Amino acid sequence: MTGTPQAPADEAPAGVIRTLRELPRPAIVLLFGIALNRMGSFVALFLVLYLTGLGYSPAQAGFVLTGFGVGSIVGTFVGGSVTGRFGARAVIVWSMLLCGLSTAGLAAVTAIVPLLIVGFAAGAFGQMYRPAAATMLAELTPPQRLVMTSAAGRFGLNLGAAVGPLLGVWLAAAYSYQVVFAVNALVDLLFALVVLLVIPTGAGHRAPEDTAVPEDPAARDDRAAREDTAAGTDTTAGTDTTAGTDTTAGTDTARYRDLLRDRRFLLFLAGMFITAIAEVQYQSTLPLEVQQRGYPTALYGVVVALNGALVILVELPLTTLIQRFSMRATVAAGCLLLGVGLGLFGLPFGPWVFILGAVVWTLGEIISAPSIGAYPALAAPTPALRSRYIGALSTCQTAGWAVGPSVGTALFEYVGGAVWLMCAGLGVLAYLGMRAGVRDLVPR
């Protein structure tokens, strides 16, 4: 992996402690709220069990869960648009409020059609806050600290993802699934209340000139061309807000059509879509592979636990080193390793190959994910387009995670190990796409 190290010593990448100390209080509160919200998100984990317990067939329960997934895709897309129009703080508050009400509604309705509608709403509002939260973090964080802040946010998400299922299982066993959804709803409402009361209106407002990061000359010329395109398309796209208004809200009329003119960013999005298709195979197809080879289910549990443990323990300290390289290098190399690591699951060797594949796949995730989280906010040519760029990334990832299980399980059923060859191939394609699409931004 090659990249451009930082030149000035005083601008060298900071570790997580220094980064957190330099962040404003609203950013710390937002990071904590995101982790808390992830810890209390139970719907996707327990919805099928809840519905089959009500007497619905697995197919009917899966249909409702699909509605939840479709809502998630819609929510991430819409979240980018409404954030640019109404501001990140307002979107987070209202999406979490409506998500809490929708989640509570899952425990109150029993007919299939209302369940489908409420499930769709819970998925949409539950994901709508993601582009808004990422936009607010980008506004609150100095550009040279955005990669490490992204890693810190992922640490909270992964920690919440590790603790949340244990809490949900305990609540379901000790009480009921209705209580599980009620706690989920309360956590959503608590997140909305914290943002409303603690994060002030206008938090994260930053002038456009403060968002620049060092680039190579070619990337700088490319950015200038994109700014000219955005300005020619929409004369108000770069209009900033006053300090008294909400984050990212204002008179801008930027639209997703402006993003579609950025061909290099579209390559990045395509790379993220196919990477998500490959990545989700560890959830949908890997347990089938383990079972088909005659290994105990515990081996699959070890693989998933190893991935989570490595991300939680290694990502933050390793990001201090990784952020010294260009985003093009880290994103491309990480996507390649992720695909190749998953591809190793198809090798006809003993159980140790699953451990090796998990290590390589997780290393790719650790190398690329913090830069991927930071990149859209830095790549957007104007502040008005920032939420659209972030929302587009979330939408493509969510779409890949939704499509991937159907593709992978179909390949597994009819072509066997071809699914793992597909993962390796997608990793190579993502590498090439990222090398061509990701601008060589250097997050100082």
Side-chain angles (χ1 to χ4, degrees), residues 19 22-31 88 92 132-143 145-146 149 199-200 202-206 211 247-248 377 386:
T19 297
E22 291 179 355
L23 290 179
R25 182 189 175 200
I28 299 297
V29 171
L30 186 59
L31 286 172
I92 295 172
T135 300
M136 180 176 280
L137 272 180
E139 299 277 339
L140 292 166
T141 305
R145 300 290 180 254
L146 195 53
T149 301
I199 297 181
H205 176 80
R206 188 169 65 205
T211 65
T247 306
T248 73
R386 187 178 293 125

Side-chain angles (χ1 to χ4, degrees), residues 331-390:
V331 172
C335 290
L336 176 63
L337 287 174
L338 189 149
V340 170
L342 292 168
L344 292 176
F345 294 145
L347 295 179
F349 300 117
W352 61 268
V353 78
F354 291 94
I355 305 301
L356 176 61
V359 171
V360 176
W361 144 48
T362 304
L363 181 61
E365 179 184 349
I366 290 172
I367 289 174
S368 61
S371 294
I372 288 170
Y375 180 71
L378 298 174
T382 67
L385 284 170
R386 187 178 293 125
S387 64
R388 271 73 174 185
Y389 273 58
I390 293 171

